[in-house]
Amino acid sequence: MPDSKEPQPPRNWPQNHPSGLDDVSRRYRREGDKAADFVVTENFEQFNQIDDVFRRSQWDDSIRTENSEQFYRSHVLPKPRKGDGFTQRDFAFRNASWTLANIFSDRGEEEGRREGFLDPLDPYFPKAEQKIEVEDPTRIAREIKNICKFFGAHIVGITNIDKRWHYQNRYDLKNQGDRPNDLPDGLTNVIVIGHAMDYDLVQTYPSALAGASCGSGYSHEAASVVQISQYIRNLGYEAVSSMNDTALAVPYAIKAGLGEYGRNQLVITPEFGPRVRFSKIFTDLPMALDQPKKFGITEFCNICERCADACPPKAIPRGQPTEFGPNKSSIRGVVKWTADCEKCFGYWARMGSDCAICMRVCPFNKDFSKWYYRLARNLAGTRLRKLILVLDSRLKLNKRVKPSGWWGKQGD
Amino acid sequence: MPDSKEPQPPRNWPQNHPSGLDDVSRRYRREGDKAADFVVTENFEQFNQIDDVFRRSQWDDSIRTENSEQFYRSHVLPKPRKGDGFTQRDFAFRNASWTLANIFSDRGEEEGRREGFLDPLDPYFPKAEQKIEVEDPTRIAREIKNICKFFGAHIVGITNIDKRWHYQNRYDLKNQGDRPNDLPDGLTNVIVIGHAMDYDLVQTYPSALAGASCGSGYSHEAASVVQISQYIRNLGYEAVSSMNDTALAVPYAIKAGLGEYGRNQLVITPEFGPRVRFSKIFTDLPMALDQPKKFGITEFCNICERCADACPPKAIPRGQPTEFGPNKSSIRGVVKWTADCEKCFGYWARMGSDCAICMRVCPFNKDFSKWYYRLARNLAGTRLRKLILVLDSRLKLNKRVKPSGWWGKQGD
């Protein structure tokens, strides 16, 4: 997002601004916003989880439909059909891939909780009484990142807590209303953990089969964060395991230097492009913080609208970033590309599985273990970006792979 | 084990033999035993889980000591000490690595169950009403193996159920006694799943740090098997997720062609040597079966006693395989190298963490991604085995790595 658009703080910022921000967070702008390309205006409001389109599909009859109900139900009781990618085997695999995440999210359902979606994942064991001594924050940051990778993380960044990106309230499943978005006192840092989604499966979007890249992402995340946060508690520090609950992952991933924001609403990373799921661990362990990193995504997305072109319900914006989204399921007062979540989720519900065509068609969705894609990625961050975009389009590198083709490979 | 030792079936095999074998399994010898190098005698008895040394540490005062109690307790409330590899950080990491396995094993504790240790892991959702059609058992076997790998397995083999290797009874934690080792009717096959243990951590045995290679192995296993078995149930077939519960993993891994039995009581695999943990899925999904594979381990172990030399409590046997172990914690009537589990576990309890020195010092414990170790492995299966053993000893390739050295790498 261009710096010229960055607004100045208003002169008379009210002390009792309705945003629900605490004392420290009351000012809408923060040091470091420029480095992260965050353009936050005086209309900023913390997002309330109840307005998330998935939550609205539970309480808002303009979103909840027969299709949306079957979409959720299909994760345990699918209705397979004949189309390639939607057979019993496709749903069987997609649903199996969610198992681990489901086991966690089901644990507190009776109390209106859903771990990893509405609520942090419960700690297995409380923190140790004895704290280890942290002498060198840079060294412990490196060590923690390696431990995260041991437990399954693909990329890791560390940043400080910024309450602007936390939900005003959590959503309570039982009473279908707000619930305080509380965290233990004294937390200072966020470890942002990225898990790459499976490249070959993502190439089959849209399909129920492709949804296994999403489900297994969630399952990996759940497994990783409960173990990483237990490690930190065992060192005598507080650690809260968070997936989609508690706070927005996207600004935290950007702040932690893991990638840049793209037109397709995804954080584009140098390692895996847009094919990354993020989770977070809130902690008071002192660690050296990472800085946002740019590698030309904003400039590239300015000239590329491939995700907008490919989106079946036309939910992805063209043109320049804007301050407000098309409806209440988007955060207000942040200048950015904002999709129409109602259109997006409506398509998921009609199709009967999650969609990430915008992820598949992104020119940065490549297997960067190959040197020529790394070269192209690096050139895409220079003035040659237009050439790279044209070449990428000509070569049709992001064509959908047939689900039956994916299955063929498994049996051969 | 040499074929010449293979006994003949007795002429008057009693119908009411006390082994608890079902009709099909009443005969102690089976077709396929020779291929698997299984030498089963007329003294064969199914092993009863209550006699497992870990179970005995709960009910048998000759095994349960102050040390053994602290060994178990240390997995949540460790007593760190000054020695390298036994500090708070080492226990913190080891214990965190167990988290996922613990979450599963704790679920049924009130009913005397321990999923993954005494009982199979509960299914997340029952099997689908509609069964997929299996036209080609070879093809579905390949497909299932690839799905297993997607869900985290490193190696996979398939064999048929052989009740000789199932526990006579499960152990019930609550009443500290037997409980029927039941499985659903009609199961025919076992998918044997291997997860490699972390090479660098294994090199630090003995230490609490090294225990993270074991804990993370269990956690990976739990995550994989619940998802794989859910996939099979979603295809309309029965699938029971099993780790250490229900049956002995070692004979199943050998039968399924994943490796050969070693003097150190471990299955030595071509891919990861002895550094593999095994879990099992019992199913009625029809699949092509694998055959046992030999690559010279028996012959190598015949001339190598490095594990026996290195074992601090001298629990590993020298010389030739025998029919009986030194105490009731070993299966009876199978001619094999059998360790003294009482001595072995006694050392764990005194040290305060699990030990796998016998795994570390094994000449087959190498990183086989390196070509020269693959070459040496292949030569170790030929008449050059003695040369390889001497070279391996001279080069001191399996020396212990200092735990502080491992930590140093994480922070650098």
Side-chain angles (χ1 to χ4, degrees), chain A residues 88-89 92 97 99 102 106 124 130 139 142-143 146 150 201 219 227 231 234 407-408 410-412, chain B residues 88-89 92 97 99 102 106 124 130 139 142-143 146 150 201 219 227 230-231 234 407-408 410-412:
Chain A
Q88 180 172 356
R89 193 167 57 163
S97 78
T99 304
N102 289 348
D106 287 1
Y124 174 68
Q130 181 74 36
R139 201 173 165 84
R142 279 198 298 257
E143 199 178 287
N146 279 321
F150 178 86
L201 287 171
S219 286
Q227 297 184 97
Y231 174 62
N234 290 349
W407 282 109
Q410 310 312 309
D412 287 344
Chain B
Q88 180 171 357
R89 194 165 59 162
S97 78
T99 304
N102 289 348
D106 288 359
Y124 175 67
Q130 180 74 38
R139 202 175 165 82
R142 278 197 299 258
E143 199 177 287
N146 278 321
F150 179 87
L201 286 172
S219 286
Q227 298 185 94
Q230 189 57 52
Y231 173 63
N234 291 348
W407 282 109
Q410 310 312 309
D412 288 343

Side-chain angles (χ1 to χ4, degrees), chain B residues 59-306:
Chain B
W59 62 264
D60 182 341
D61 285 338
S62 75
I63 307 293
R64 188 176 55 196
T65 61
E66 214 166 291
N67 281 336
S68 77
E69 293 291 290
Q70 176 54 28
F71 165 80
Y72 289 115
R73 203 163 40 233
S74 82
H75 285 77
V76 287
L77 288 172
K79 283 187 186 163
R81 48 193 200 256
K82 279 209 175 126
D84 188 14
F86 295 91
T87 68
Q88 180 171 357
R89 194 165 59 162
D90 297 295
F91 281 104
F93 182 45
R94 183 197 74 176
N95 293 354
S97 78
W98 277 92
T99 304
L100 207 58
N102 289 348
I103 287 171
F104 284 99
S105 62
D106 288 359
R107 291 199 295 189
E109 204 135 19
E110 283 186 17
E111 305 107 69
R113 301 188 309 116
R114 264 183 84 76
E115 290 181 34
F117 294 86
L118 309 180
D119 301 84
L121 293 105
D122 274 355
Y124 175 67
F125 203 76
K127 68 177 178 180
E129 283 181 18
Q130 180 74 38
K131 266 186 185 171
I132 63 148
E133 232 172 281
V134 175
E135 284 165 9
D136 181 346
T138 305
R139 202 175 165 82
I140 190 117
R142 278 197 299 258
E143 199 177 287
I144 287 286
K145 287 179 185 179
N146 278 321
I147 296 293
C148 288
K149 289 184 179 172
F150 179 87
F151 284 125
H154 293 119
I155 51 176
V156 189
I158 302 173
T159 185
N160 59 332
I161 286 186
D162 182 338
K163 288 257 175 100
R164 291 178 301 175
W165 313 126
H166 291 223
Y167 295 129
Q168 270 185 47
N169 294 286
R170 304 189 195 287
Y171 177 72
D172 189 301
L173 198 63
K174 216 171 175 179
N175 65 27
Q176 301 202 341
D178 288 339
R179 193 200 336 206
N181 187 7
D182 50 350
L183 283 176
D185 289 338
L187 302 184
T188 48
N189 295 329
V190 192
I191 305 168
V192 186
I193 294 155
H195 287 85
M197 289 167 68
D198 185 87
Y199 177 82
D200 292 322
L201 286 172
V202 166
Q203 306 322 300
T204 72
Y205 269 112
S207 65
L209 172 66
S213 69
C214 178
S216 63
Y218 277 106
S219 286
H220 284 152
E221 283 184 85
S224 295
V225 295
V226 297
Q227 298 185 94
I228 298 164
S229 65
Q230 189 57 52
Y231 173 63
I232 296 172
R233 285 192 296 277
N234 291 348
L235 297 179
Y237 291 85
E238 199 55 79
V240 177
S241 304
S242 171
M243 290 163 54
N244 291 4
D245 54 278
T246 308
L248 302 169
V250 165
Y252 268 133
I254 296 168
K255 253 169 71 71
L258 296 180
E260 271 187 82
Y261 188 69
R263 182 185 294 279
N264 56 5
Q265 322 286 293
L266 299 164
V267 177
I268 316 284
T269 67
E271 297 85 354
F272 307 102
R275 230 172 43 254
V276 181
R277 301 209 59 80
F278 292 101
S279 33
K280 321 168 276 288
I281 292 177
F282 301 97
T283 181
D284 56 1
L285 182 70
M287 290 171 292
L289 305 183
D290 293 301
Q291 295 306 317
K293 280 180 211 125
K294 297 190 199 175
F295 62 111
I297 296 299
T298 306
E299 296 77 5
F300 195 93
C301 290
N302 273 332
I303 62 155
C304 176
E305 296 190 338
R306 199 189 280 172

Side-chain angles (χ1 to χ4, degrees), chain A residues 166-324:
Chain A
H166 292 222
Y167 296 130
Q168 270 184 47
N169 294 286
R170 303 188 196 286
Y171 178 73
D172 188 300
L173 198 65
K174 213 171 178 182
N175 65 27
Q176 302 203 339
D178 289 338
R179 190 195 345 197
N181 187 6
D182 50 351
L183 282 176
D185 289 339
L187 302 184
T188 48
N189 295 330
V190 191
I191 305 167
V192 186
I193 294 154
H195 286 85
M197 290 166 67
D198 185 86
Y199 178 81
D200 292 321
L201 287 171
V202 165
Q203 307 320 301
T204 72
Y205 270 113
S207 65
L209 172 66
S213 68
C214 180
S216 63
Y218 276 106
S219 286
H220 284 152
E221 283 183 85
S224 295
V225 295
V226 297
Q227 297 184 97
I228 298 164
S229 64
Q230 188 57 52
Y231 174 62
I232 295 172
R233 284 191 297 277
N234 290 349
L235 297 178
Y237 291 86
E238 198 54 80
V240 177
S241 303
S242 170
M243 290 163 55
N244 291 5
D245 55 278
T246 309
L248 302 169
V250 166
Y252 268 133
I254 296 168
K255 251 169 74 70
L258 296 180
E260 273 187 80
Y261 189 69
R263 181 184 293 280
N264 56 5
Q265 322 286 293
L266 299 165
V267 177
I268 316 285
T269 67
E271 296 85 355
F272 306 102
R275 230 173 42 254
V276 182
R277 303 209 58 81
F278 293 101
S279 34
K280 320 169 276 287
I281 292 177
F282 300 97
T283 182
D284 55 2
L285 181 70
M287 290 171 291
L289 305 183
D290 292 300
Q291 295 306 316
K293 280 180 211 123
K294 298 189 198 175
F295 61 111
I297 296 300
T298 307
E299 296 77 5
F300 195 94
C301 289
N302 273 331
I303 62 157
C304 175
E305 296 189 336
R306 199 188 282 172
C307 52
D309 295 341
C311 177
K314 300 296 165 211
I316 295 178
R318 299 181 181 280
Q320 288 300 304
T322 55
E323 190 182 347
F324 300 104

